[in-house]
């Protein structure tokens, strides 16, 4: 399926491509193909070889990992459009350290990894763009590790909800972006621990009913779970 003009413009607008001209990017997109995936589709598993660079145009994708015996699975990250995911595997050709599952019907540009590596080898601007994108993704990973190491489960949950609230325009009522099991994995806890954290947040005037979050006193909540630019910024 050919890529539409507005979809190409969205790819060009990615920060990783900010110094790469449209003509060069067109070579990359022309080498790939667009595909639409229904919800729950597993795009690849952890340990699979990276056949493609994936660029999420529409929808959402969960990156997940599991133990060797597959008894425990956890969501590591949720990718929103427009963005690439697990770029390091596509660039190096090394096996995926995580799997990817479609959370909501998604349109994804898939560029063969060998073509990507060939173009990177030939095009210095694209090579620099890939290097900067990998650096940004590394910083995201460091923030996640710091969040897990330095905050309790209640602090992680409160800060995450505060960030959602401020992203929505400091709303007192908003919706969780995905189901609670996925959210628990994203925050590094079990669903049971997430439920307990939700219970603790009631003393700060926060209630969760289904997917709806209600904040009685935003100022009190903000004072209790102040955001940290080195932990919560992009």
């Amino acid at each position: 399926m050919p890529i539409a003009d507005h979809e190409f413009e969205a790819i060009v607008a990615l920060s990783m491509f900010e110094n790469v001209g449209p003509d060069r990017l067109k070579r990359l997109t022309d080498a790939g193909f667009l595909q639409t995936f229904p919800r729950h589709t597993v795009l690849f598993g952890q340990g699979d070889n990276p056949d493609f660079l994936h660029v999420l145009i529409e929808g959402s994708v969960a990156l997940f990992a599991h133990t060797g015996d597959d008894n425990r699975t956890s969501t590591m990250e949720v990718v929103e459009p427009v963005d690439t995911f697990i770029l390091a595997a596509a660039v190096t050709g090394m096996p995926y350290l995580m799997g990817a599952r479609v959370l909501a019907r998604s349109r994804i540009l898939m560029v063969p990894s060998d073509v990507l590596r060939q173009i990177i080898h030939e095009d210095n601007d694209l090579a620099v763009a890939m290097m900067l994108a990998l650096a940004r993704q590394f910083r995201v990973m460091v923030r996640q590790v710091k969040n897990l190491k330095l905050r309790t489960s209640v602090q992680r949950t409160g800060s995450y909800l505060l960030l959602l609230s401020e992203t929505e325009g400091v709303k007192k009522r908003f919706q969780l972006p995905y189901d609670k099991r996925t959210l628990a994995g994203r925050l590094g806890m079990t669903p049971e621990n997430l439920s307990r954290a939700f219970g603790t947040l009631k003393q700060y005037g926060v209630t969760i009913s289904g997917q709806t979050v209600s904040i009685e006193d935003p100022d009190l909540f903000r004072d209790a779970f102040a955001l940290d630019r080195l932990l919560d910024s992009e």
Side-chain angles (χ1 to χ4, degrees):
M1 181 182 299
I3 186 168
D5 289 343
H6 72 278
E7 292 171 328
F8 180 74
E9 291 171 1
I11 294 172
V12 171
L14 280 172
S15 58
M16 66 184 288
F17 294 137
E18 60 188 0
N19 294 316
V20 181
D23 291 342
R24 287 180 169 135
L25 277 182
K26 193 169 189 310
R27 181 184 176 194
L28 187 67
T29 57
D30 284 350
F33 58 92
L34 267 177
Q35 191 163 339
T36 300
F37 296 93
R39 187 182 178 193
H40 301 313
T41 301
V42 175
L43 300 172
F44 51 81
Q46 102 180 6
D48 289 352
N49 291 322
D51 295 325
F52 298 98
L53 167 68
H54 295 79
V55 183
L56 180 64
I57 305 295
E58 177 186 326
S60 61
V61 171
L63 304 180
F64 65 92
H66 55 78
T67 56
D69 55 10
D70 204 21
N71 285 335
R72 182 178 178 187
T73 299
S74 182
T75 300
M76 308 301 291
E77 182 61 274
V78 176
V79 184
E80 304 289 348
V82 172
D83 204 356
T84 63
F85 49 95
I86 318 192
L87 176 61
V91 170
T92 63
M94 300 178 71
Y96 290 118
L97 297 180
M98 297 179 285
R101 180 185 297 108
V102 175
L103 285 180
R105 181 179 179 275
S106 298
R107 281 169 60 77
I108 299 174
L109 174 67
M110 303 172 68
V111 181
S113 297
D114 55 349
V115 174
L116 171 69
R117 291 191 290 271
Q118 178 183 343
I119 297 176
I120 289 174
H121 181 74
E122 298 170 356
D123 192 319
N124 287 337
D125 286 344
L126 186 59
V128 171
M130 293 293 118
M131 180 182 69
L132 292 175
L134 288 169
R136 291 188 187 100
Q137 292 183 2
F138 172 77
R139 289 178 64 82
V140 169
M141 180 192 69
V142 171
R143 287 193 183 97
Q144 289 177 341
V145 172
K146 289 176 65 177
N147 206 20
L148 290 170
K149 295 284 188 179
L150 299 177
R151 283 174 170 163
T152 66
S153 59
V154 173
Q155 289 172 332
R156 292 199 301 276
T157 305
S159 296
Y160 175 80
L161 294 180
L162 179 58
L163 186 60
L164 277 183
S165 169
E166 298 198 347
T167 300
E168 294 286 334
V170 197
K171 289 186 177 179
K172 288 188 175 182
R173 184 183 296 266
F174 55 92
Q175 299 293 309
L176 294 175
Y178 27 78
D179 66 270
K180 292 174 183 176
R181 178 172 293 276
T182 299
L183 176 59
R186 173 66 182 80
L187 295 176
M189 60 186 83
T190 65
E192 294 76 17
N193 283 338
L194 179 64
S195 293
R196 285 193 284 271
F198 282 163
T200 301
L201 290 177
K202 289 180 181 179
Q203 63 186 277
Y204 300 99
V206 179
T207 57
I208 294 90
S209 177
Q211 294 295 107
T212 302
V213 180
S214 300
I215 300 177
E216 181 179 332
D217 187 341
D219 290 333
L220 172 65
F221 190 52
R222 190 179 299 108
D223 288 342
F225 299 96
L227 299 179
D228 184 329
R229 69 181 182 85
L230 297 180
L231 276 175
D232 303 299
S233 301
E234 292 297 330

